[in-house]
Each structure stands twice: as structure tokens, then as C-alpha cells.
Amino acid sequence: MPGFELFSDKERKEVNDVLDSGVLMRYGFDGNRNGHWKALALEKALAERMKVGYAQVVSSGTAALTIALASAGIGAGDEVIMPTFTFVASFESILALGAVPILVDVDDTLTLDPKAVENAITKRTKAVMPVHMCGSMADLKALKSICQNYKLLLLEDACQAIGGTFEGKPLGSYGDLGCFSFDYVKTVTCGEGGAIITNNKDYYTNADHFSDHGHDHIGKDRGAEGHPFLGYNFRISELHAAVGLAQIQRLDEFLAIQKKNYQILRETLEGIPEITFRRVPQAGEESYAFLSFFLPNANMAKEVHTALGEKGVDGCFYWFDNNWHYYRKWEHLIHKKSLGKLPKEVREQLPDYSKSDFSQSDEWIGRNISCLIKLGWSESEVQARALKMAEIIGSFLKQF
Ligand SMILES: *Cc1c(COP(=O)(O)O)cnc(C)c1O
């Protein structure tokens, strides 16, 4: 997955353009910038690649999620449905607005279970936020139909699945809004950065203003610009955007490598009858950022994961025990541990997750192992890795 593995002269050239002019800010200083507008160019390239009307590039994926929600008017006390398996950024972005994260089960896609989503809808629900974890997507067709029936916003977190598609549409472009992260370990990286994509002009305009203190960006004098509503500073710098501009143009190159490496590993593991693979919804194509598979039960998965690590197969994750990606270890959320006082709405409406039954999620996440697909591997390295994985898993299964 990480785009940094293949940094090249292309990234260097874009960064040097910025250093040569010395204009590190994305707005203003028109006379000094030698015609370089890296954030703007990245937005244009991203909108084109994702086949959407608008893209707003910002300081992180977490910021992108926050801005996306805000741009659609989500605020205090609004409920946002999100999965039990994701990165903490999902609920951080919701809580940042005083909205309430409603956790629901995932299924064998490792993403939101549409039935669980429908069961969690209340009169306060405003949005559904599927998270396309580990390179593959939620059942977007089912989720979109639920969102249409109940008039809810569909916000796709495609931070880990850039380049995947559903019904031929790039992930992130299927819902009302989509978000990407360009942090250091993502397929496309800026060092730190993120983006919102949408076909909705109002959401885009709101995102443009909100991410820059409410600036309306009208005219040529920043100090004289209007501020139609409150905002915040979620701007990206030109230096970061420059790296991303080179990287987005290499996305298809990265995806081709991911797919090739994924297929070698998958074909080898398919020879082990006890292993099954995460379900990819019909009409979906993964970004191949990870290979995720299930063992027959949770104990086996845990032990196989340990064995892989001990025998030197790095980059495999057992999410069930992970501190950052699965609800079981989110005791800061569960016990509402914040520095300052949380908004009244959050204190009163946040469900008591210490009493929740997420046994369906436990069933799938407990049996799952996900292995990162790297870009820098040579073909012989991938082949050796595939054989080693098959050997470790095979010899472990023989004990049963
Ligand atoms: C990385 C990531 C984020 C947050 O992105 P940052 O740029 O690190 O803030 C959000 N959601 C998911 C699923 C991620 O993997």
C-alpha cells in the first residue's frame, strides 16, 4: 500500500517547484509563485481521476471526514452510523462536530452490514459512513438504497481503498461524499493530507470555506474576504500537495503492482482448503491494498497470526486484538474519556458500548487475518513470501 515505497524524481520535481518559488501556502501570493498551484492542481487531478465534479484537498483524512460531515450540515446531536471495524478517525470526526457515533456490526465483507445499519436507524440518524477497510468496499448498492429510503447522507471513507471501484465507479464517488487520506502509509501519500470528493456543488463550496476559517475565497485580497459561516483551519500546505500531485498521477501504476502482488499471494493461499477470503460485494473491484482471509475459528487465526510474525512474515494484522482499529479496545470512546467536557448531546446520547452485543463482528474479525500488499516487493520476493505463508499455515493446520 504505501506510496512512499516508490518515491521518485517525479515527487522531487513537484516539491522543488514549490521550494524554488518559496510559496508554501496554497492561497494568495500570486505574483511570487511562478504559476505553481499544487493544491489546486492536485484537486483537479483527483476530481478527474475519480470522475467527480469537485475535490477539496485538506490537511488529513480525519480532517476530510470532519469537513465532509460539516459540509452536509451534520452537527450536535445528529447520529452517524459507522462500523465496529475501522480506524479511530471515524468516531473522532463525528465527535469533533458534537455528533454521535452509532457503532454497528460488520459482516464477511469486513465492512458495514446493511441489515445492521437499517436496524440502527432512529429519528436522529443523519448519515451512514461505510469504511472501505483494507482495500475493499461495503455493499454500497444496499447502503445507497437504505439511505435513499430514509433520506440519509451516504459518506464513504475510502482512505484505505483508493482506486477500488463499485459498479465501475471509483470508491468515494458512489455516495454523496467520499474521503481519502494521503497520510504517510496510504497508497497515495502527501506525508500528511486528505481529500473530500463530491458531485454536490453546495457540499464542495461549504468544504472549501469550512477548511479555511470560513473564507469565501472571493476576490484577490485574503484579508478582505467574507466569512459566511464559522470554519476552522484544515488547510494543506503546497509542499504536501506537491508530493500528492506526483503520487496521484502514479495511482494506476501503484494499483497494477498491488493487484499483481495480491494475486500471487491469493493463488497460493487458495490451495489451502481451510482458508476462505473476505467477500467482495458483487460489482466491486478491490484496490488490492491488503489480502484478507478467514481461518476456521478465532483461536486458529490468532495463533496463525503469531506464527507468521515469529517466522518473519511481516505486515500481517490480527485486527481483533488491535488497539486502534476494532471497538473492543476503544475504551476511551466506551468510557467517554475526554480532556474537556464533551457536548451535552454526546454525553446524553452516546450508547453504553460496554453493554453492546457485537458478536457478529467478533465472529468475522476474530477469524480474520489481513496482510498488507507492498509496492516495493520484487516478484521473487512475493513468490517466496507466498510459499512461506502457505507452509506456515499448512503446518499449523496439520496439528488439528
Ligand atoms: C488513515 C485513515 C483515516 C485517517 O486519515 P489521516 O490522514 O491519518 O487522518 C481515516 N479512516 C481510515 C479508514 C484510515 O485508514
Side-chain angles (χ1 to χ4, degrees), residues 28-50:
F29 304 93
D30 300 23
N32 300 340
R33 52 198 318 142
N34 300 337
H36 295 304
W37 300 86
K38 299 302 181 188
L40 216 54
L42 174 53
E43 284 164 352
K44 192 161 173 277
L46 190 64
E48 254 165 42
R49 176 60 180 77
M50 298 304 160

Side-chain angles (χ1 to χ4, degrees), residues 164-209:
T165 61
F166 186 76
E167 293 178 354
K169 293 196 171 83
L171 295 180
S173 73
Y174 193 89
D176 299 293
L177 288 145
C179 289
F180 299 109
S181 164
F182 303 137
D183 80 19
Y184 188 55
V185 295
K186 297 303 201 291
T187 304
V188 165
T189 184
C190 290
E192 298 286 358
I196 301 119
I197 60 170
T198 184
N199 284 308
N200 183 306
K201 187 158 193 236
D202 292 336
Y203 295 164
Y204 163 70
T205 305
N206 289 343
D208 166 80
H209 296 7

Side-chain angles (χ1 to χ4, degrees), residues 119-132:
N119 290 338
I121 293 171
T122 71
K123 61 180 189 310
R124 288 177 176 139
T125 309
K126 288 285 162 58
V128 178
M129 191 200 279
V131 184
H132 307 316

Side-chain angles (χ1 to χ4, degrees), residues 1 59-65 86-90 92 131-134 157-160 180-186 191-194 325:
M1 176 156 93
S59 53
S60 72
T62 312
L65 292 167
T86 177
F87 182 51
V88 293
S90 303
E92 287 170 346
V131 184
H132 307 316
M133 285 298 279
C134 304
D157 177 341
C159 291
Q160 291 192 12
F180 299 109
S181 164
F182 303 137
D183 80 19
Y184 188 55
V185 295
K186 297 303 201 291
E192 298 286 358
H325 292 85

Side-chain angles (χ1 to χ4, degrees), residues 81 104-105 107-108 112-121 139 142-143 146 279 360:
I81 293 176
V104 316
D105 272 322
D107 60 19
D108 57 345
L112 277 183
D113 172 10
K115 286 191 299 297
V117 169
E118 193 152 19
N119 290 338
I121 293 171
D139 186 346
L143 292 176
I146 292 170
R279 179 167 63 87
Q360 178 183 307

